[in-house]
Amino acid sequence: MRRSAHVPGSSAHVPRVVGADRLGGRLALACALAAALTALTAAPASAAFRHPAVSASFGSDGTSGTSIGGLDQLAFSQASKRLYALGRSPARVHGFDTTTEGTYTALSSGFPITLAEPGGVPDLATDNSPSSSGAIYFLSESTGLYAFTSAGAGISGFPIGGFGDPCGAATDGEGNVWVGDYGSQSVKEFSSAGASLGSVNVAATGRPCHVAFDRSNDDLYVADYNGAVYRYANAGGYASGTLVDPSSTQALTVDASSNTLYVAHSSQVDAYNESGAHLESFATGLGSITGVAVDEARGIVYVSAGGKVRVLPGVVVPDAVTGDQTGDATVNGHVDPAGGGEIVTCEFEFGTDTSYGETAPCSQSTPINAPTDVSADLSGKVLGETTYHYRLVAANASGTNYGADRTFTPHFVSGLTTDPATGVGKNEATLNAHFIGTEEDTHYYFEWGTTTEYGNTSATPPGDDAGSTSGNTPLSYDVSGLLPETTYHYRVVASNGKGTSPGNDRIFTTVKSVADLATGAATTVTASSAMLHGSWTGEGEGTTCHFDWGYNTLYGNSTPDVDEGSGTGPQSAAVLLSGLSPVTTFHYRIVCSNVFGPAYGGDQMLKTLALPEVALLPPSDYTTSGVTLSGTVGPREGGSTTYHFEYGTTESYGASTPESPPVGSDNGTYPASAELTGLEPGTLYHYRLVATSPAGVREGKDQTFTTVPLLPTVDSTSASDVAPTTATLTAMINPGNGATLVIFDYGPGLSYGSRTLPTEATPADGADHPLSAQLTGLTPGTTYHYRAVAINFNGVATGADETFSTPDAPIVGGGSATGVTQTGALLSGNVQPGFSPTSYQFEYGPTSDYGHLTPAGGLGADNAVHPVSASLAGLAAGTTYHYRLVASNAIGTTSGSDHTFATAPAPPVMPGPATPRCRKRFVRRHGRCVRKHRRHRHHAKHRKRHHRHGGRNA
């Protein structure tokens, strides 16, 4: 935003670039207002007021039929005569119709407006621009800036957030809304549609909390948090703040018709004119003040104090406009009773600073009953070449009003004045001045340069002799060798017998070296490019041109110089600027050079368009060969927008859906979708949503999806390494292009009952993968059913039921002896092999130590009960035998219980003939008589002989 305002006492307009460039309406308005203020004979916009007393109150006492809980800030709509009041408990905006003066009718339709949490320091503002729609703005310190229509409905584009800590809201002369941002120490500007337009840095005067705009000249007033109020002048580009009120502030408002600032403190309201002069203090003794608003046309000030809205009608005081100084020491002004009664006091205050200290009555006598130009001659009261401040003061019976502060410097050379330059060209100008001759010999010279240090003189001081003239004496000097399109300061300096007087400083700007050089509006603006244009009037000089561009008026970037030839008449240039950032404001200007030097076109701005917005939603309708992609597209007002999806197995994509028909060209959000077919099962695909508008192409973020794989297959299920309590199960799995998990169901029956943990996922391919699981905790000697179960994204595949049996030590049982004779018997029993090849035999003997074994028998690897037997022979008759069955396999040996049987006794022996007796030294052996054995004697003898022999040897 660029604002221009007339500087009193100057013929120039001072531009200040703050944010977006909107010269048109604002410049015209500012110039018109400035002209009105500087015309002494122009009637004032409206009367000036003072506010001595409260005439009514309403709100919590029910006068208006409305109770406002926690009354806080106020705002007034000048066009509709509506007063708006913010209540904090509950948070609402109440509206009152004040069209009929003295009545305050509560609005019902759409009111009160229910608000968000207001936070610690909320605010209200209303649009009072010439094209106002009556919008109401509510600032919540907690959640941001809200906007409502005059009917109480929310406005699209709001709320606006993102503040460091919002504090204070106001509207300007164009209907834009400004918000003080405590956190960033700036005041931020937004359009009535909620678009950001720029900001003013106010860090030098503190952290803003409460702001106000004088929409007649777009001066900005900012109150520091719990601190002073400063004026940021539009004419100065909001570059610095001037102190207006030093005390802590509760609220601000401006009467733009009289340029009066009202500052609400906790216990009173103070009023200041545009020069910062204090006008009045009022609204004292009403309780704690929280808000202030003004009805400009009627001069009524509304104050929220003590929980009520207090009404303070305006009492008219005279208008007082301080004018220029004329002659050597005559000050001028204009007064107007403005309907407030006769003016009884008219005087000028003057002094070397704004405390003035001296007064001079107006030359015109009082009372004054009509608009009157007034003056005062300060000759003899002021010193030559000393700068004095002065202002006009006018009073009626109701109060006093003060004109703006002005300055003048009386000269030794009477009426010495630097006049506007004439004949200003590219390299030359005529400097002009005049003085009032008093028949004293007077010398003069001109100073000029690019600053007020000047640096150049037309003649060596004391300069050329103007003679001893009488009356108006014009002076001039033709200066050459100037630079084109350059601002020069100049002044006249004259001296006589009284002393030397410098004239007032003036400026002129030489003509551009390239005639009529102008920066044109950008065309074919997209999100990343724009065509820049410029034009000039050719005068036959060879000309080269380029464009400066950047984020601000420092530019920082330039396009290459292009030789534009040496044509005459209308000429133009255009350059395509590319590589720009979307939704960004750029400044640019054309710069052309010829033999006279460079020339600069005016600053222009362009804002690149917003690329469409895209967002992806989760895919749906997955199959083994397809999927439906979905998302949303937001054209962002970049123009008619279409979209397509790019997809493929890598981030290079390689495939695309057909371009959609246009979905819109506004700021809405539209659904986007496309169905993909012919994809590979179980395959990872990359995809993104791409939207295209005149602003450019927005490529969304890369995302992925995986198609549904084929159902896995299960083959070759087997059991291995079967042990009594463990086994390994294996199956051959084909995952069908999808990562697949496998579990094994197992148990002693077809209902299984147990399940392994899932295996690690297979690769997502179509190959066979052997997958195994180890079983533990099995029961020995048990037949188990098992099957493999494969699971992928598509579903579940189940293998065939299979069995395995865990081995166990054999089981033996039974035990009987049959067919027992004196020497033999048949032993029997039962053996369960325990699913392992098993051998068996019987142990037997006359004791439980047995001692004898039957030959081993063999059984297969089943678990059936097998009867086994073995025949015994050669037993002793009449003898009890122990026996047991013993079975062995790879797992172990099992011995049966001990059993017994008795062989039949031998038949009794019948008596036979007597056995003859053997003779002496014979004994019966084996039925015959043999000689008794005599070896022991022989041994005895032998021992004796041996003993003796040994003895001899000893």
Side-chain angles (χ1 to χ4, degrees):
M1 155 236 10
R2 169 180 287 168
R3 304 170 186 270
S4 295
H6 187 71
V7 181
S10 168
S11 62
H13 290 271
V14 181
R16 170 65 179 178
V17 176
V18 180
D21 190 355
R22 304 189 304 281
L23 279 170
R26 178 163 291 171
L27 181 57
L29 175 63
C31 290
L33 289 169
L37 287 173
T38 55
L40 285 179
T41 58
S46 68
F49 296 98
R50 299 295 177 264
H51 304 86
V54 174
S55 66
S57 64
F58 62 92
S60 62
D61 61 355
T63 299
S64 66
T66 300
S67 179
I68 306 171
L71 178 62
D72 202 293
Q73 297 290 328
L74 302 175
F76 194 84
S77 174
Q78 306 300 331
S80 65
K81 298 299 180 188
R82 288 182 172 185
L83 175 70
Y84 299 108
L86 170 63
R88 298 173 63 98
S89 54
R92 293 177 179 174
V93 172
H94 298 265
F96 301 92
D97 183 357
T98 71
T99 303
T100 301
E101 189 169 353
T103 62
Y104 317 101
T105 305
L107 302 178
S108 56
S109 179
F111 289 86
I113 303 171
T114 301
L115 303 175
E117 164 58 40
V121 187
D123 207 355
L124 276 186
T126 187
D127 181 3
N128 284 311
S129 64
S131 59
S132 169
S133 62
I136 307 162
Y137 296 97
F138 160 63
L139 181 66
S140 165
E141 187 178 4
S142 301
T143 56
L145 179 66
Y146 295 76
F148 304 92
T149 67
S150 59
I155 295 177
S156 177
F158 295 84
I160 299 170
F163 300 101
D165 187 356
C167 192
T171 57
D172 64 17
E174 291 184 3
N176 300 317
V177 59
W178 295 69
V179 176
D181 189 356
Y182 178 96
S184 65
Q185 293 183 268
S186 65
V187 182
K188 297 181 176 179
E189 181 185 14
F190 301 91
S191 73
S192 58
S196 176
L197 299 178
S199 64
V200 172
N201 187 327
V202 296
T205 55
R207 297 187 178 272
C209 194
H210 304 303
V211 296
F213 247 93
D214 185 342
R215 65 184 185 282
S216 70
N217 56 22
D218 276 336
D219 284 352
L220 169 65
Y221 292 92
V222 181
D224 180 28
Y225 179 72
N226 283 334
V229 179
Y230 295 86
R231 174 174 173 253
Y232 283 80
N234 171 39
Y238 307 118
S240 61
T242 301
L243 178 65
V244 178
D245 185 302
S247 303
S248 179
T249 302
Q250 302 300 313
L252 298 175
T253 195
V254 173
D255 182 341
S257 67
S258 61
N259 307 107
T260 302
L261 170 69
Y262 293 100
V263 181
H265 302 296
S266 60
S267 59
Q268 69 182 36
V269 176
D270 287 281
Y272 300 87
N273 67 15
E274 62 180 324
S275 298
H278 185 265
L279 301 178
E280 62 172 329
S281 298
F282 62 99
T284 57
L286 302 180
S288 179
I289 297 174
T290 57
V292 62
V294 60
D295 178 345
E296 296 175 358
R298 296 186 293 219
I300 300 172
V301 173
Y302 296 93
V303 176
S304 52
K308 300 178 183 181
V309 177
R310 313 289 184 152
V311 183
L312 292 98
V315 175
V316 177
V317 294
D319 286 332
V321 178
T322 309
D324 289 331
Q325 167 260 342
T326 58
D328 198 33
T330 299
V331 291
N332 302 282
H334 182 87
V335 294
D336 188 340
E342 61 184 14
I343 298 173
V344 297
T345 299
C346 179
E347 63 184 6
F348 286 87
E349 295 181 332
F350 66 97
T352 55
D353 56 34
T354 54
S355 62
Y356 306 108
E358 297 186 65
T359 63
C362 297
S363 300
Q364 294 72 25
S365 61
T366 57
I368 298 174
N369 293 295
T372 304
D373 291 336
V374 296
S375 62
D377 184 2
L378 305 184
S379 299
K381 300 179 182 180
V382 293
L383 300 176
E385 309 311 323
T386 301
T387 298
Y388 287 87
H389 290 261
Y390 68 99
R391 69 178 177 182
L392 177 58
V393 181
N396 62 13
S398 298
T400 303
N401 198 9
Y402 301 89
D405 177 76
R406 304 289 293 273
T407 61
F408 79 102
T409 304
H411 294 303
F412 295 124
V413 177
S414 180
L416 182 66
T417 303
T418 309
D419 293 325
T422 57
V424 179
K426 296 177 182 178
N427 304 113
E428 69 281 333
T430 298
L431 310 183
N432 299 297
H434 73 275
F435 67 95
I436 306 299
T438 57
E439 298 183 352
E440 292 185 77
D441 186 41
T442 303
H443 289 72
Y444 75 95
Y445 60 90
F446 286 91
E447 296 180 315
W448 77 90
T450 56
T451 70
T452 53
E453 297 295 322
Y454 306 109
N456 303 282
T457 60
S458 62
T460 302
D464 296 322
D465 189 353
S468 301
T469 64
S470 176
N472 184 61
T473 305
L475 307 171
S476 66
Y477 177 77
D478 294 330
V479 61
S480 60
L482 304 177
L483 296 174
E485 198 176 2
T486 302
T487 297
Y488 285 90
H489 290 260
Y490 69 100
R491 71 177 178 180
V492 67
V493 179
S495 59
N496 57 22
K498 297 176 183 178
T500 299
S501 297
N504 53 299
D505 178 78
R506 281 191 179 271
I507 61 172
F508 67 88
T509 301
T510 50
V511 176
K512 290 181 178 180
S513 59
V514 179
D516 304 320
L517 184 64
T519 308
T523 61
T524 60
V525 178
T526 72
S528 60
S529 64
M531 185 70 75
L532 309 184
H533 297 274
S535 63
W536 66 95
T537 299
E539 297 175 311
E541 294 94 3
T543 304
T544 60
C545 297
H546 68 266
F547 287 86
D548 292 339
W549 63 277
Y551 296 111
N552 50 44
T553 53
L554 297 177
Y555 304 107
N557 304 283
S558 297
T559 63
D561 275 310
V562 175
D563 186 350
E564 300 292 349
S566 55
T568 60
Q571 307 289 314
S572 63
V575 169
L576 179 65
L577 201 60
S578 58
L580 306 178
S581 301
V583 200
T584 303
T585 298
F586 292 93
H587 292 257
Y588 66 96
R589 68 179 178 186
I590 188 169
V591 180
C592 295
S593 299
N594 58 21
V595 293
F596 295 103
Y600 301 90
D603 179 74
Q604 288 272 26
M605 287 194 300
L606 67 91
K607 186 173 184 180
T608 49
L609 301 178
L611 287 173
E613 290 183 344
V614 295
L616 287 173
L617 299 173
S620 60
D621 303 329
Y622 283 93
T623 69
T624 57
S625 61
V627 69
T628 297
L629 303 181
S630 300
T632 59
V633 172
R636 289 290 302 275
E637 298 182 348
S640 180
T641 300
T642 62
Y643 69 87
H644 65 270
F645 290 89
E646 294 180 338
Y647 65 97
T649 55
T650 69
E651 290 187 52
S652 298
Y653 306 107
S656 174
T657 62
E659 196 72 16
S660 73
V663 296
S665 58
D666 54 15
N667 216 17
T669 299
Y670 297 88
S673 65
E675 184 179 353
L676 306 187
T677 59
L679 306 180
E680 292 295 323
T683 300
L684 176 71
Y685 283 87
H686 292 261
Y687 73 101
R688 67 181 177 186
L689 178 55
V690 180
T692 303
S693 76
V697 177
R698 168 79 77 178
E699 296 173 339
K701 292 182 179 179
D702 178 76
Q703 297 283 0
T704 61
F705 68 85
T706 302
T707 51
V708 176
L710 300 172
L711 199 66
T713 58
V714 181
D715 290 313
S716 305
T717 308
S718 63
S720 62
D721 300 327
V722 179
T725 60
T726 60
T728 299
L729 304 183
T730 302
M732 189 66 70
I733 306 299
N734 187 312
N737 282 22
T740 299
L741 300 174
V742 175
I743 59 175
F744 289 89
D745 291 335
Y746 65 97
L750 288 174
S751 60
Y752 305 107
S754 297
R755 174 168 286 178
T756 64
L757 294 173
T759 62
E760 288 189 12
T762 66
D765 57 21
D768 289 338
H769 297 272
L771 297 179
S772 299
Q774 181 75 30
L775 306 187
T776 60
L778 303 180
T779 301
T782 303
T783 296
Y784 284 89
H785 290 259
Y786 69 96
R787 66 180 179 186
V789 179
I791 306 166
N792 68 11
F793 186 67
N794 193 348
V796 177
T798 303
D801 179 75
E802 304 285 352
T803 62
F804 69 88
S805 299
T806 53
D808 196 2
I811 298 173
V812 298
S816 64
T818 58
V820 179
T821 65
Q822 292 178 338
T823 61
L826 178 64
L827 303 182
S828 299
N830 301 315
V831 176
Q832 284 182 260
F835 297 110
S836 182
T838 299
S839 64
Y840 68 89
Q841 54 191 156
F842 289 90
E843 293 180 325
Y844 66 95
T847 69
S848 57
D849 291 332
Y850 308 108
H852 300 279
L853 291 170
T854 64
L859 299 173
D862 61 22
N863 204 29
V865 177
H866 295 271
V868 296
S869 62
S871 296
L872 304 184
L875 303 178
T879 302
T880 297
Y881 282 87
H882 291 260
Y883 72 95
R884 66 181 178 186
L885 177 58
V886 179
S888 297
N889 62 17
I891 308 306
T893 298
T894 303
S895 299
S897 302
D898 179 73
H899 298 276
T900 60
F901 68 89
T903 53
V909 179
M910 299 300 293
T915 301
R917 300 184 57 167
C918 293
R919 55 185 178 158
K920 192 177 179 180
R921 299 195 179 93
F922 284 82
V923 294
R924 183 170 295 280
R925 292 194 180 126
H926 304 297
R928 62 191 183 94
C929 296
V930 295
R931 185 182 293 277
K932 289 184 179 178
H933 204 295
R934 298 181 62 187
R935 275 186 298 184
H936 61 281
R937 291 181 181 177
H938 169 76
H939 290 165
K941 290 180 180 181
H942 177 75
R943 285 194 298 272
K944 290 179 179 180
R945 284 198 302 270
H946 179 74
H947 182 73
R948 285 196 302 272
H949 178 71
R952 286 197 303 272
N953 288 339

